[in-house]
Amino acid sequence: LPSLEAARKSELPVIRGSVPEPARWPQGCRFHPRCPFAVAVCRTEEPRLEPLAAEPGGDRLVACLRRDEIG
């Protein structure tokens, strides 16, 4: 995620590929075709939006089936 506190000259990470049309979202996680961390379960289950485990008490939310592993 971009940060307002990061140096202005830092580059945002690039997610390769094209965003699918909203009428043609893939099954499971919408990002799995382009996500370098995707595993088999990402193709079948849609992740829920939940607090980021790496930030107890934080207000950042994430929708990722591997959120606890990747943090």
Side-chain angles (χ1 to χ4, degrees), residues 3-27:
S3 170
L4 296 175
E5 298 161 3
R8 288 189 177 264
K9 294 184 180 183
S10 65
E11 293 185 29
L12 294 175
V14 176
I15 300 175
R16 297 182 191 271
S18 299
V19 177
E21 296 178 31
R24 295 181 171 193
W25 289 128
Q27 181 179 353

Side-chain angles (χ1 to χ4, degrees), residues 23-62:
R24 295 181 171 193
W25 289 128
Q27 181 179 353
C29 177
R30 294 177 180 178
F31 291 95
H32 86 264
R34 304 182 300 140
C35 178
F37 303 106
V39 293
V41 70
C42 300
R43 290 189 273 286
T44 58
E45 291 186 34
E46 186 173 344
R48 294 185 319 234
L49 191 60
E50 297 182 332
L52 184 61
E55 291 189 11
D59 58 355
R60 288 179 53 186
L61 300 173
V62 63

